[in-house]
Amino acid sequence: MAAAVTAVVFILSAMSTRASAALIEQTFVVSQMRMTHLCRETLVTVVNGQLPGPMIEATKGDSVIVHVVNQSPHNMTIHWHGVKQQLNCWVDGVPMITQCPILPNHNFTYRFDVAGQEGTLWWHAHVFSLRGTVHGAFIIRPRHGGANSYPFPKAHREIPIVIGEWWEMDLEQMDSDFVHGFLDDQPSASTINGKLGDLFNCEGAVEVGYVLDMEPGKTYLLRVINAALFSEYYLRISGHKFTVVAGDANYVNPYRTDIPAISPGETVDALVVADAPPDRSYYMVAKPILTPPPDPQIPAFATRATVLYKYSSNHNHSNGAAAALSSRRRRPRSDDAPVAPEMPDEFDMMTSFYFRGNLTSLRRRHAQHLPAVPAQVDERMFVTLGLGSVCRRRGQQSCKRGDSDETISVATMNNVSFELPDLKTSMLDAYYRNTSSMDDKVVELPDGPPRMFNFTDSALMPTGPEEEELEPTSRATVVRRFRHGAVVEVVFQSTAMWQGDSNPMHLHGHDMFVLAQGLGNYDAARDVARYNLVDPPVRNTVLVPRLGWVAVRFVADNPGMWFMHCHYDFHLSMGMAAVFIVEDGTTADTSLPPPPVFSSCSHDNSLKPQEFFLKAK
């Protein structure tokens, strides 16, 4: 069922003083295939018969064309996660917000440039929960000098490490369950580069795991992507250290650590030197981070790959004894199991908190032309993230709360849960044609929550009188408008309403300066003094810590409609999202160009708008 990837590179221009820009063209055939793991055959939606899907490799300044051929039974769009799409919001890939979904047996072509960015990004489906299996790496290398111009030592090899989950269920059905407040669906395993590894078995036969071959003394650049739907992960290789050099395609000051943390949506670039004894093998373990009681306890699974040392085939040996030693070192001793690393406790969230707090942006001129952190703020928002409920019967305002069948659990930003308006075209299309056409269909995301309370009070996790008083919320198409060029500061505050999860918040079309993070309730009088205004890390996905907060700033300089949402799938499906509208500037090069084509979206009349949307990822 797999279709071969078509990759064609056309030279657009050539200059003797620099490398040529190129056109990178690929075809993504989305289809279903049967895969067997854990003694069970599962029908899986994939691209080009691969899991993970094909990697896109480009150079800074290249143009990219991807033809999507949808042979699956699902609606489909592809989001280019972290690609800024400057003046090109039309191809951001969010169904019914920036485009109509690609219907089954239909095609769509994405065209965009990768200007001003270099590093590790990724792409994924943005309908249903299908990004769980429809995803892949997107690598952008420097324009001048390629890998030789990285602001860190050149690696012998660059290796994508994609952390994911294995689902033995219909992901479309799972998304529908979340939309309607049924929250019992769980993955069956975790994966590294699509493989479950030997912690899982079928009737005693262990699952195949990913194997990373390394040569002694060589340096490797691991491009780590968290494509999981549910969990933040720790990653560790026994006997080795990581030097983190980038995150979300933004360079950081090299940071040496045993164990990086990576939340859904994030990428981390890290150098690993093969400096352990080469006659042993080593486990690479990805372990999910769980929320401790009294939070609901959700099963999650670690997975592991194997690091093997071996020499290259052209390695020269000065004598026969060395050659014999080399032969022995190509694989570990047969009587030795791989060395396993010691991992943090399953409820250890502080290792992640300190890891993130130690990252700072690399601001060396030759590495990246990073703008200074804006000192003047035009708009400030305080956004609470939590759960609540709406009456199950649409339009009903009063119903029994708490543990009741009369309500549906929803996720909120400032106590409003996102849903799509009833439109015959995408929101961006309608807005572009008539900027006031949606005024009666949207509500403005407020500057703060409707009421202040102790947001991190653990007494709010179980159902009870205090929780029930704060539980009622509403559904709406939540937007926030910003004038072009406005400097926006947002403080995200996690809450204890029914749960104490962290929240990886992803902003499309922009990067964010991560000024500070903290535990407990944000207090401006105390916490503004902690802001890093010199070299804060720059991310497109920011983890708001469990029962804590994070402060970010961004410049609203990319006109269009940009989705802001939690990258935990259950939170997104339940409505933890909003649309940020950046208005046109005063010139042609600060205004959104016309769309490639105006079109109406073909609705299945049996579906309600929010079901047709199928909750973007």
Side-chain angles (χ1 to χ4, degrees):
M1 297 177 63
V5 178
T6 303
V8 185
V9 178
F10 299 93
I11 302 301
L12 298 179
S13 61
M15 297 178 63
S16 59
T17 58
R18 67 177 181 87
S20 300
L23 175 65
I24 310 301
E25 189 168 4
Q26 293 199 10
T27 297
F28 282 9
V29 178
V30 184
S31 63
Q32 292 189 307
M33 63 183 296
R34 296 190 179 278
M35 302 179 69
T36 301
H37 290 295
L38 306 177
C39 296
R40 181 174 176 179
E41 186 178 74
T42 304
L43 192 61
V44 182
T45 303
V46 294
V47 172
N48 296 348
Q50 301 172 225
L51 181 60
M55 178 168 63
I56 296 177
E57 298 181 83
T59 299
K60 183 178 179 179
D62 284 350
S63 296
V64 177
I65 293 179
V66 180
H67 307 284
V68 178
V69 181
N70 187 10
Q71 296 180 357
S72 81
H74 307 297
N75 292 339
M76 182 58 54
T77 64
I78 302 294
H79 171 54
W80 315 98
H81 187 113
V83 177
K84 291 182 181 177
Q85 305 292 5
Q86 191 72 32
L87 298 178
N88 200 18
C89 186
W90 303 105
V91 295
D92 192 47
V94 186
M96 300 307 297
I97 293 179
T98 65
Q99 72 170 95
C100 301
I102 310 167
L103 301 179
N105 300 315
H106 285 68
N107 305 338
F108 185 84
T109 296
Y110 292 93
R111 293 179 172 87
F112 55 92
D113 297 331
V114 287
Q117 295 181 269
E118 55 190 60
T120 303
L121 300 172
W122 62 302
W123 58 265
H124 58 78
H126 222 302
V127 281
F128 293 125
S129 300
L130 290 175
R131 72 171 166 88
T133 56
V134 178
H135 60 250
F138 194 130
I139 310 303
I140 308 172
R141 295 191 172 86
R143 166 59 56 195
H144 302 288
N148 291 315
S149 64
Y150 289 137
F152 48 80
K154 181 181 178 181
H156 175 61
R157 286 173 57 203
E158 300 179 8
I159 302 162
I161 300 293
V162 182
I163 300 171
E165 294 153 337
W166 176 247
W167 296 86
E168 294 182 302
M169 65 172 302
D170 182 348
L171 294 179
E172 175 183 351
Q173 180 59 51
M174 182 181 76
D175 187 88
S176 177
D177 289 346
F178 289 151
V179 170
H180 293 93
F182 304 112
L183 311 177
D184 297 326
D185 299 323
Q186 306 296 335
S188 300
S190 298
T191 61
I192 295 177
N193 286 349
K195 300 184 182 298
L196 279 66
D198 62 5
L199 289 175
F200 304 93
N201 72 86
C202 171
E203 297 179 349
V206 297
E207 288 277 349
V208 173
Y210 175 71
V211 176
L212 171 58
D213 288 319
M214 300 202 303
E215 294 181 45
K218 301 288 188 181
T219 298
Y220 295 82
L221 176 60
L222 303 189
R223 298 182 177 274
V224 187
I225 300 166
N226 187 342
L229 301 181
F230 272 26
S231 295
E232 181 186 9
Y233 282 81
Y234 289 126
L235 185 69
R236 191 169 196 178
I237 304 176
S238 180
H240 298 75
K241 286 186 176 292
F242 296 87
T243 301
V244 177
V245 294
D248 289 359
N250 288 284
Y251 294 120
V252 300
N253 287 303
Y255 175 63
R256 191 166 169 84
T257 180
D258 293 328
I259 183 163
I262 181 168
S263 70
E266 289 185 318
T267 70
V268 169
D269 290 356
L271 298 174
V272 174
V273 179
D275 57 2
D279 60 345
R280 299 294 304 269
S281 59
Y282 303 88
Y283 277 128
M284 174 196 296
V285 176
K287 182 177 180 179
I289 306 173
L290 305 181
T291 55
D295 257 343
Q297 296 303 288
I298 298 173
F301 306 93
T303 185
R304 61 191 184 190
T306 305
V307 174
L308 296 178
Y309 276 73
K310 68 176 189 179
Y311 290 103
S312 63
S313 58
N314 60 358
H315 186 82
N316 293 322
H317 305 287
S318 59
N319 55 56
L325 180 60
S326 168
S327 176
R328 180 171 67 85
R329 284 179 174 172
R330 285 197 181 118
R331 287 292 182 263
R333 300 192 299 264
S334 59
D335 59 342
D336 286 333
V339 180
E342 182 178 348
M343 300 299 290
D345 180 83
E346 61 184 350
F347 300 129
D348 178 2
M349 292 188 162
M350 294 309 298
T351 298
S352 168
F353 182 81
Y354 291 128
F355 167 76
R356 296 170 190 285
N358 283 322
L359 297 180
T360 55
S361 64
L362 180 66
R363 308 193 70 82
R364 290 157 56 188
R365 174 173 292 183
H366 75 273
Q368 225 172 9
H369 295 287
L370 284 178
V373 181
Q376 184 68 38
V377 176
D378 299 305
E379 298 199 39
R380 285 184 167 87
M381 303 176 65
F382 180 74
V383 178
T384 56
L385 309 170
L387 301 185
S389 71
V390 295
C391 296
R392 187 170 294 274
R393 182 177 299 175
R394 184 169 285 272
Q396 184 177 352
Q397 299 300 315
S398 177
C399 53
K400 184 179 179 181
R401 304 289 173 168
D403 187 13
S404 167
D405 292 336
E406 297 181 19
T407 58
I408 296 176
S409 300
V410 296
T412 66
M413 295 173 61
N414 279 348
N415 210 43
V416 184
S417 182
F418 183 85
E419 67 175 2
L420 275 178
D422 186 8
L423 292 173
K424 301 300 182 182
T425 186
S426 71
M427 290 178 64
L428 182 61
D429 193 355
Y431 177 78
Y432 186 86
R433 295 201 213 192
N434 182 355
T435 57
S436 63
S437 63
M438 291 190 304
D439 288 351
D440 61 342
K441 298 179 183 295
V442 302
V443 300
E444 193 85 357
L445 180 67
D447 289 338
R451 60 184 295 183
M452 304 297 287
F453 58 95
N454 181 3
F455 302 112
T456 57
D457 183 1
S458 59
L460 299 175
M461 291 183 186
T463 299
E466 292 182 60
E467 171 275 323
E468 289 183 19
E469 182 181 352
L470 298 167
E471 179 185 330
T473 183
S474 60
R475 278 177 166 163
T477 303
V478 190
V479 304
R480 181 67 180 232
R481 293 177 175 86
F482 303 106
R483 66 168 178 80
H484 189 278
V487 175
V488 183
E489 180 172 305
V490 183
V491 175
F492 291 107
Q493 172 74 61
S494 292
T495 73
M497 282 294 297
W498 282 352
Q499 46 87 55
D501 281 319
S502 57
N503 295 278
M505 301 303 294
H506 172 49
L507 175 58
H508 292 213
H510 299 77
D511 280 338
M512 297 174 280
F513 296 98
V514 186
L515 305 180
Q517 62 173 359
L519 301 177
N521 295 321
Y522 175 80
D523 180 353
R526 174 195 63 205
D527 295 324
V528 168
R530 300 170 51 190
Y531 283 10
N532 177 359
L533 300 177
V534 177
D535 58 357
V538 180
R539 308 299 292 253
N540 63 63
T541 304
V542 177
L543 185 75
V544 186
R546 177 182 186 268
L547 302 183
W549 57 270
V550 67
V552 303
R553 278 183 199 169
F554 69 94
V555 181
D557 58 359
N558 194 2
M561 286 191 163
W562 304 104
F563 213 28
M564 162 62 84
H565 62 88
C566 183
H567 228 270
Y568 285 144
D569 190 73
F570 51 96
H571 280 170
L572 177 57
S573 296
M574 296 168 68
M576 190 178 287
V579 174
F580 283 3
I581 301 175
V582 179
E583 298 172 347
D584 286 342
T586 57
T587 63
D589 61 358
T590 58
S591 300
L592 184 66
V597 61
F598 281 120
S599 62
S600 296
C601 300
S602 300
H603 283 262
D604 178 341
N605 292 329
S606 67
L607 297 180
K608 296 178 180 179
Q610 68 270 24
E611 293 171 327
F612 180 69
F613 173 51
L614 299 174
K615 298 299 177 183
K617 307 298 175 286

